[in-house]
Amino acid sequence: MRAVRPPQELYEFARALHEAGKSCYLVGGAVRDQLLGRPSSDFDVASDAHPEDVIRLYRRVVPTGVKHGTVTVLFKGLEIEVTTFRTESAYADGRHPDRVEFASTIEEDLSRRDFTINSMAFDLASRRLLDPHGGREDLARRLVRAVGDPLERFGEDGLRPLRAIRFAAQLGFDVEAATLAAIRPSIGRFRMVSPERVRDELMRILLAPRPSRALRLLEETGLLAEISPELASCRGVEQRGMHVFDVLDHLYACADAIDSERVLRLAALLHDVGKPEAKREEPGAEPSFHRHEQISAAKAEDIMRRLRFPNAEIAEVAHLVSCHMFSYDDSWSDAAVRRFIARVKPPNLDRLFALRIADGTAILGRPVDPRSLDPLRSRIEAVLAAKEAFGLADLAVRGGDLASIGVPPGPAMGAILKELLESVMEDPTLNDKARLVEIARRIKPKYGLE
Ligand code: ATP
Ligand code: MG
């Protein structure tokens, strides 16, 4: 195991606390990551100094959580979170500690932390590691183990079961048996956790190198059904044709196969979540999943809304999901390529292609060559390079031009512009102001206009 070697600036930071007679320990993720030889970007420090002491001692202090005993010090390019030693206090609503009690020793502070691998402290004065809960041993065995009795610890804060699986995912560790066994009985407590906290841990699970292992742990412990019954109900839904997995294993495999980026991982996990509802079985035939991409998009929206994802992210994921069912062959006309671009919108094309490749990989259970979409990609590039119309903004007429021939703003104008766009997608040479105004004049009686 590596040694803990904090950056020099951290020792310089500790000096002011030491000179004031206070202690200063590096704690939490940074100690764990240094022992593992992983880079750590944020530094958490524990001290017997109170927030007001820290505010007095340093020049640039942000009062990030004074109520909980935390302030952030900006020091020589580092962002250091300084938290006063705390004890475990009751979490009556299961969401947040109702009150914070300061502790007087680092040992007390370490024993209220969640897992042994997170409960070590490096004394910046003596340069010695404190490891009262066997964190190093568990790092060596690659285990996430609760500090103390797991049932009791999960009862104090219902987010911890999800954090256990999150650390297992990020580090490629197992969850120690008793810690894992305590998850299911703690689900009542988990239900009281705020959706925002669940979202943040879930996202870290999804961004892990291979999220499928952790997703299976969520499923086996009952947490997946709590977070998304929609996803849990994909288990055992068999598919047809080339598919080697049921719907849920297919979604796990798709999440593994796609780049680790928020929108992509979410879209991969949710892209077929509507399949159980869409499934129709006819005797003697393979099942069908007609319009499952629309149902999946609506469910993805519901799930993400419940978890309080930002609206822009929800819209991006739902859009990708709703567009994921396309299969290109060279019989596509240029008009079909233009309609495809108009529907997907150019900024989303790369992500949609990434989703399609990961989807293919998760259908067959073996990697699909990303170059298989190159023919469609070049058709699209040709259309974009020719600046052929693919959205209302690209039409050679505006609403104002139609108003001048007696089309009032409103639904009829919208419908006429849409029909003009469709004509232009069939035949780009029509994208000329005079010609479009002429067509509009001809079709407007169809929309109840003289
Ligand atoms: P990361 O590198 O992902 O930030 P981390 O270990 O620093 O990992 P944080 O969520 O930043 O994780 O928490 C910092 C430390 O605070 C943890 O290492 C742990 O000691 C303690 N901690 C955080 N959340 C809890 C919790 N819900 N219950 C008990 N201790 C916690
Ligand atoms: Mg941290």
Side-chain angles (χ1 to χ4, degrees), residues 27-68:
V27 289
V31 177
R32 179 193 70 224
D33 292 341
Q34 295 231 345
L35 290 169
L36 288 171
R38 295 169 154 238
S40 39
S41 50
D42 57 318
F43 295 101
D44 293 324
V45 155
S47 171
D48 55 355
H50 284 208
E52 60 271 20
D53 303 325
V54 182
I55 291 170
R56 204 162 18 80
L57 287 170
Y58 295 92
R59 235 176 347 151
R60 298 165 70 204
V61 185
V62 188
T64 36
V66 173
K67 268 201 321 206
H68 304 108

Side-chain angles (χ1 to χ4, degrees), residues 268-305:
L269 179 69
L270 300 173
H271 78 277
D272 279 345
V273 71
K275 272 192 167 171
E277 190 176 309
K279 187 168 183 175
R280 296 286 175 272
E281 289 182 274
E282 319 264 324
E286 293 202 301
S288 69
F289 297 94
H290 184 55
R291 280 180 46 81
H292 77 267
E293 67 276 23
Q294 302 307 332
I295 301 173
S296 299
K299 288 195 190 293
E301 258 191 75
D302 286 349
I303 295 166
M304 289 180 69
R305 242 181 249 301

Side-chain angles (χ1 to χ4, degrees), residues 350-404:
D350 284 338
R351 279 181 170 153
L352 185 62
F353 281 18
L355 178 59
R356 198 79 192 104
I357 295 296
D359 189 7
T361 299
I363 289 172
L364 302 174
R366 57 180 161 75
V368 164
D369 187 348
R371 284 172 304 187
S372 56
L373 285 174
D374 282 356
L376 176 56
R377 220 183 265 281
S378 11
R379 293 281 300 278
I380 289 172
E381 274 161 20
V383 166
L384 293 178
K387 297 198 169 29
E388 290 170 341
F390 47 79
L392 285 179
D394 304 301
L395 270 186
V397 287
R398 294 278 172 272
D401 303 317
L402 299 188
S404 66

Side-chain angles (χ1 to χ4, degrees), residues 205-222:
I205 288 174
L206 278 181
L207 292 174
R210 282 176 61 88
S212 61
R213 248 185 85 243
L215 290 166
R216 284 205 174 81
L217 283 177
L218 291 181
E219 188 185 351
E220 286 159 18
T221 53

